[in-house]
Amino acid sequence: MVSANAMCVVQPKILSSLMGNCLRQSKQPAHQLFRYNPGSKHVSMQLSKRFSGLTNLLFNGRNADKVLNTKRKRLRPGKISPHRPVPDHIPMPPYVKSKKPPGIASGPEVHDEKGIECMRASGRLAAQVLEFAGTLVKPGIKTDEIDQAVHQMIIDNGAYPSPLGYGGFPKSVCTSVNECICHGIPDSRALEDGDIINIDVTVYLNGYHGDTSATFFCGDVDDEGRKLVQVTKECLDKAISICAPGVELKKIGKTIQEHADKYRYGVVRQFVGHGVGRVFHADPVVLHFRNNESGRMVVNQTFTIEPMLTLGSFNPVMWDDNWTVVTEDGSLSAQFEHTILITEDGAEILTRC
């Protein structure tokens, strides 16, 4: 990732959706897997030829004409409030003290019975916090106010808000509004009638992370926005439905891409799902688009699936804060996410109330 003004490379500090398929295979530092267009803040992965070129030509301009006709204002950065404290008695993830972005831990998160129960507890709390956060969405509320409420509920339950301090992220939740694909920083901007907002919650409870997100309607959202959100949720549900021991991980991407293609929606490729449990981000890297990567699901493994769909271009552009990622053309983006556990006969959604 890069700041357009200084054009300096920023070490990877991705939150709940991580960088794509090259991380586990490449010996390069993660920042070398990206290339930048000077002056434009574009984020693009150096994907193998089978992922680039033809896919971009076929799908990346799919609904651009509709985007040009919108009256919606582009997002602009607001003011960020001071750091919110966490009580000393609440255990924090190791990366908070180290202040170093940990990246993706090698090896999958596979649990014994005790670990599974801990994952269920953290997933349940994350789901409850997300459900509560969704009730706050209405015209006039500031995303910083949502962060404050989420932060308080998490610490009241004896947990740590996982995003806070992860690679320097300044808040306890991600709030991604309209064209923001992911990693939106809560700030002084008030939600407006017709907005859509993804709220991404991760909690660290008893040494285990539970990670989930959903996109909510603010007031009267137009049919175009509602359809995008609906189909994104369907993509997640369909992907979860094919998960089971021995299933190839690449089938997740195939399932999501096939459904999104029916509606000519873009599927973001630079940010992906990931293993989650005792660490925030672990193997496997879960791609949401068609791919030929290896790897199969195993019993008692936990990971996230978190597709991001766009109405127009799926090319991401990063703001100067080195976190906020928006669509290149300002088109709407939606996302849904669950943490799942692979069971003997399928998959259990851990982040469900």
Side-chain angles (χ1 to χ4, degrees):
M1 296 174 290
V2 66
S3 169
N5 292 335
M7 287 305 297
C8 60
V9 172
V10 179
Q11 290 297 326
K13 45 186 183 180
I14 305 298
L15 272 176
S16 62
S17 41
L18 291 169
M19 298 169 287
N21 63 310
C22 301
L23 284 177
R24 288 270 58 89
Q25 297 180 347
S26 177
K27 301 297 184 182
Q28 303 177 69
H31 67 265
Q32 293 181 12
L33 299 173
F34 292 82
R35 54 181 180 268
Y36 313 103
N37 296 328
S40 68
K41 295 185 280 189
H42 284 68
V43 182
S44 58
M45 284 191 63
Q46 296 183 24
L47 297 171
S48 57
K49 289 182 179 179
R50 69 178 181 271
F51 293 144
S52 59
L54 181 60
T55 303
N56 189 67
L57 176 65
L58 291 175
F59 301 119
N60 205 27
R62 55 189 72 211
N63 289 312
D65 54 329
K66 296 180 181 178
V67 175
L68 294 176
N69 294 328
T70 184
K71 295 180 180 179
R72 176 174 45 81
K73 296 178 182 177
R74 293 278 188 108
L75 287 176
R76 294 292 182 266
K79 294 182 180 179
I80 299 175
S81 64
H83 177 92
R84 292 192 167 92
V86 176
D88 292 339
H89 71 273
I90 294 178
M92 62 181 63
Y95 55 76
V96 177
K97 291 182 179 179
S98 71
K99 298 183 179 180
K100 295 179 181 179
I104 301 179
S106 179
E109 285 285 317
V110 180
H111 309 278
D112 57 18
E113 283 302 316
K114 181 180 178 181
I116 290 172
E117 287 308 309
C118 288
M119 284 299 297
R120 285 178 175 141
S122 63
R124 189 181 310 114
L125 177 58
Q128 291 168 348
V129 173
L130 179 63
E131 183 178 61
F132 168 65
T135 67
L136 303 176
V137 174
K138 61 182 179 181
I141 191 170
K142 297 175 182 177
T143 52
D144 186 64
E145 293 174 313
I146 295 175
D147 178 80
Q148 181 178 20
V150 165
H151 179 91
Q152 192 63 49
M153 182 174 179
I154 292 173
I155 64 174
D156 283 349
N157 281 274
Y160 185 92
S162 302
L164 184 63
Y166 183 88
F169 192 79
K171 291 296 174 183
S172 298
V173 68
C174 295
T175 52
S176 302
V177 180
N178 294 338
E179 70 263 32
C180 186
I181 295 171
C182 59
H183 306 157
I185 300 174
D187 60 20
S188 60
R189 182 190 183 275
L191 295 182
E192 299 178 4
D193 185 62
D195 284 347
I196 63 172
I197 177 173
N198 175 269
I199 301 176
D200 192 335
V201 172
T202 311
V203 305
Y204 183 68
L205 178 66
N206 298 323
Y208 290 78
H209 297 271
D211 191 0
T212 186
S213 85
T215 300
F216 299 93
F217 301 128
C218 181
D220 186 17
V221 176
D222 63 27
D223 291 342
E224 210 168 47
R226 287 182 176 273
K227 189 64 176 179
L228 174 67
V229 172
Q230 176 190 330
V231 172
T232 306
K233 178 63 165 60
E234 291 170 356
C235 282
L236 175 60
D237 293 342
K238 287 177 180 293
I240 293 173
S241 72
I242 61 96
C243 292
V247 174
E248 293 177 302
L249 287 160
K250 68 182 181 181
K251 288 190 176 181
I252 292 174
K254 179 176 183 291
T255 300
I256 292 169
Q257 186 86 64
E258 284 182 348
H259 192 58
D261 284 352
K262 293 177 184 177
Y263 300 90
R264 294 178 57 81
Y265 292 147
V267 179
V268 175
R269 296 177 289 173
Q270 286 82 352
F271 302 94
V272 305
H274 53 88
V276 64
R278 287 154 292 197
V279 296
F280 198 166
H281 299 119
D283 282 330
V285 170
V286 180
L287 305 180
H288 301 121
F289 57 96
R290 289 187 189 90
N291 66 89
N292 289 313
E293 299 305 300
S294 61
R296 293 178 183 271
M297 304 172 201
V298 299
V299 174
N300 296 341
Q301 178 184 30
T302 51
F303 57 85
T304 71
I305 304 175
E306 42 190 301
M308 288 145 277
L309 270 58
T310 64
L311 190 61
S313 171
F314 57 68
N315 282 339
V317 176
M318 182 164 287
W319 282 4
D320 290 341
D321 60 23
N322 294 319
W323 282 106
T324 307
V325 179
V326 299
T327 57
E328 177 184 43
D329 58 2
S331 62
L332 289 178
S333 178
Q335 180 187 19
F336 283 85
E337 173 186 13
H338 274 309
T339 297
I340 67 169
L341 167 72
I342 300 302
T343 63
E344 293 285 353
D345 57 357
E348 175 184 342
I349 298 174
L350 299 179
T351 45
R352 176 179 282 169
C353 294

